[in-house]
Amino acid sequence: MLSREEVRKCLTNLDPVDVVRETLADHDRGISLLPAEAYLRWENSRGAYTRSIGMPGAVRSAYGMKIINASVSNPAIGLERAGGIGLCFDAETARITTIMEAGLLSAVRTAAVSAVGVDALGYGGAVSLAVVGCGAQGRMHAALLAERLPSLRKVTLYDRSPDAAQALAATLPGISAQVCSSAREAVSAAEIAVFTTTMDTGYVEPDWASSGALLINVSLGDLTDAAFRDAAAVYVDDVDLVADNPRRPLGRLMAEGLFGRPDSTGPARPLDGTLGGILTGRHRADGVASPYVVLNPFGMGVLDVALYAAVSAQARAESLGTALHLG
Ligand SMILES: NC(=O)c1ccc[n+]([C@@H]2O[C@H](COP(=O)([O-])OP(=O)(O)OC[C@H]3O[C@@H](n4cnc5c(N)ncnc54)[C@H](O)[C@@H]3O)[C@@H](O)[C@H]2O)c1
C-alpha cells in the first residue's frame, strides 16, 4: 500500500508524461482495454453534488482500476474535492497487488495529457498560459506546463476565490504570474488556456480566445456550445468516452448530431482527431489555427492504470510502501 508521499517519491524517478504519451499511442493501436466507467452520483446532506467513478483499464501487462470520489462541498470542510485509490491487478491471478493514493496521480495524469496535447497540437513554443480554476488540477497544470514549456514567460490566473489564484501565483518563480479579475481577462491574454474549474454550465464564448489559441477544456463544462461550434478544430482523448456521456457538453453535441466521430461522413461535423491518433499518425494535427483550437480530454482511466503500474514497479525497486495481509 502506497501513501501519497510514497507515490510522490516514486514519481521523482519516472516521467509521467512519457507513460501517458506511450499509453495514448497504445490505446490508438488497439492494445489497451478501456471499458465504460461506472458513475454513481448523489447529493449529500448539504445538497452538494457528490459522486464516485470506477474506471477500470488495461494496457500491455498493466491491469487495474481507479476509484475516484468527490464532493464539491469538501473544500468547505478542509478536504480536497476529489480523492480515491488506484489498484494494480496481477495479470495471471487478477488479485490486487498494489493499492495507492490516487488523488495526486489523477492530477499528474490529467496535466500530463494536457502537456502531450500541447506538444502534439503544435503549441510547444507558447509564451503565455492561462489557468482558470486554481485548485488541485490547476496547480498541477501550471507546475507541469511551466516545467515542460521552455518558452513560457507569462501565466494569467483566475479563480472565483482570489486567494486560490494568489497562492498559485506564488508558486511560479521565474515566470510573470498575473492574477486576473475575470476569466475572460485571463483567457484573452494567453496562447494556451486551461479550464480546471467545477462549472457545469458553459460560459466561455468564442470571442474570449486570443487568435490561434489552444483551449484545453479539462473540466469539460466551461465552453459554451458556440465555443465548440466556432473552433477551427476539436480534438479529444477518447471518442467513445466522450460520445457515451451526453451529460457533458461535447457528448451532448454529438448526441444532437452537431459533431460526429473523426472520419465520419454525413451532416455532423467530424471531430478532428484523438491525441493517440495524432501520435500514431492516424489523425492529422494542423497546428496553430484561427480562431482557436479546442482539446476536450474526457479522462481515460487506462492512463491512470499505466501510471499505477509504473509507480508500483518503482516502489518495489525502492522497497517503499506498507505490506497488507488481507488473509
Ligand atoms: N478531464 C479530466 O481528465 C479530468 C480529470 C480530473 C479532474 N477533472 C475536472 O477538473 C476540475 C477541477 O478539479 P480539481 O480537483 O482541481 O477541483 P478543485 O475543487 O480542487 O479546484 C477547482 C477550482 O476551481 C475554482 N472554480 C470553480 N468554479 C469556478 C469558476 N466558475 N471560475 C473560476 N474558478 C472556479 C474553485 O474555486 C477551485 O479553486 C473538476 O471539474 C474535475 O471534474 C477533469
Side-chain angles (χ1 to χ4, degrees):
M1 185 179 74
L2 299 170
S3 66
R4 175 175 294 197
E5 274 322 300
E6 287 161 337
V7 170
R8 199 189 301 280
K9 264 189 202 153
C10 294
L11 282 172
T12 58
N13 287 316
L14 62 93
D15 185 348
V17 179
D18 279 351
V19 174
V20 162
R21 189 185 297 106
E22 282 160 23
T23 308
L24 284 165
D26 281 350
H27 183 65
D28 190 68
R29 294 184 190 106
I31 56 172
S32 66
L33 298 170
L34 183 59
E37 298 177 357
Y39 176 72
L40 175 70
R41 78 169 279 177
W42 67 95
E43 279 188 6
N44 68 12
S45 63
R46 296 165 168 242
Y49 165 70
T50 303
R51 52 85 170 157
S52 173
I53 306 178
M55 305 163 81
V59 58
R60 297 185 185 262
S61 59
Y63 294 78
M65 181 159 175
K66 172 182 187 179
I67 301 175
I68 189 88
N69 296 359
S71 174
V72 292
S73 60
N74 284 346
I77 55 167
L79 276 180
E80 288 181 353
R81 186 191 59 86
I85 56 169
L87 303 174
C88 298
F89 306 155
D90 182 85
E92 296 306 315
T93 63
R95 288 287 202 276
I96 293 166
T97 57
T98 315
I99 301 175
M100 68 186 77
E101 195 280 327
L104 174 64
L105 282 175
S106 183
V108 166
R109 169 276 259 176
T110 308
V113 171
S114 295
V116 171
V118 162
D119 215 30
L121 298 175
Y123 286 80
V127 173
S128 52
L129 167 73
V131 177
V132 179
C134 303
Q137 295 286 348
R139 289 192 297 271
M140 187 61 78
H141 271 80
L144 191 72
L145 292 174
E147 180 191 308
R148 301 287 167 143
L149 294 176
S151 48
L152 192 69
R153 296 287 173 271
K154 184 177 144 200
V155 178
T156 44
L157 302 165
Y158 175 71
D159 196 292
R160 66 181 174 194
S161 148
D163 288 352
Q166 288 292 357
L168 177 47
T171 66
L172 298 168
I175 290 179
S176 150
Q178 180 196 339
V179 173
C180 298
S181 54
S182 71
R184 182 174 188 161
E185 184 191 350
V187 171
S188 61
E191 289 156 87
I192 301 170
V194 178
F195 298 93
T196 44
T197 71
T198 47
M199 284 297 282
D200 51 14
T201 309
Y203 60 94
V204 178
E205 298 291 350
D207 62 352
W208 285 28
S210 68
S211 177
L214 173 63
L215 307 185
I216 308 183
N217 192 29
V218 174
S219 31
L220 301 171
D222 300 69
L223 303 195
T224 56
D225 289 3
F228 282 109
R229 192 192 55 218
D230 290 3
V234 178
Y235 298 94
V236 298
D237 50 355
D238 183 76
V239 179
D240 290 334
L241 286 177
V242 173
D244 289 349
N245 283 277
R247 65 179 191 276
R248 301 294 198 180
L250 185 54
R252 175 175 48 74
L253 293 174
M254 290 184 79
E256 290 169 359
L258 194 74
F259 282 95
R261 291 172 175 271
D263 311 318
S264 60
T265 53
R269 169 183 169 181
L271 293 171
D272 294 87
T274 63
L275 290 182
I278 294 166
L279 294 171
T280 60
R282 205 166 57 81
H283 295 145
R284 215 184 63 199
D286 289 331
V288 174
S290 287
Y292 55 87
V293 171
V294 169
L295 171 61
N296 191 83
F298 190 87
M300 296 163 59
V302 69
L303 304 178
D304 298 84
V305 168
L307 278 171
Y308 301 157
V311 165
S312 175
Q314 191 63 38
R316 280 173 206 283
E318 295 183 34
S319 302
L320 290 171
T322 307
L324 285 180
H325 298 286
L326 299 176

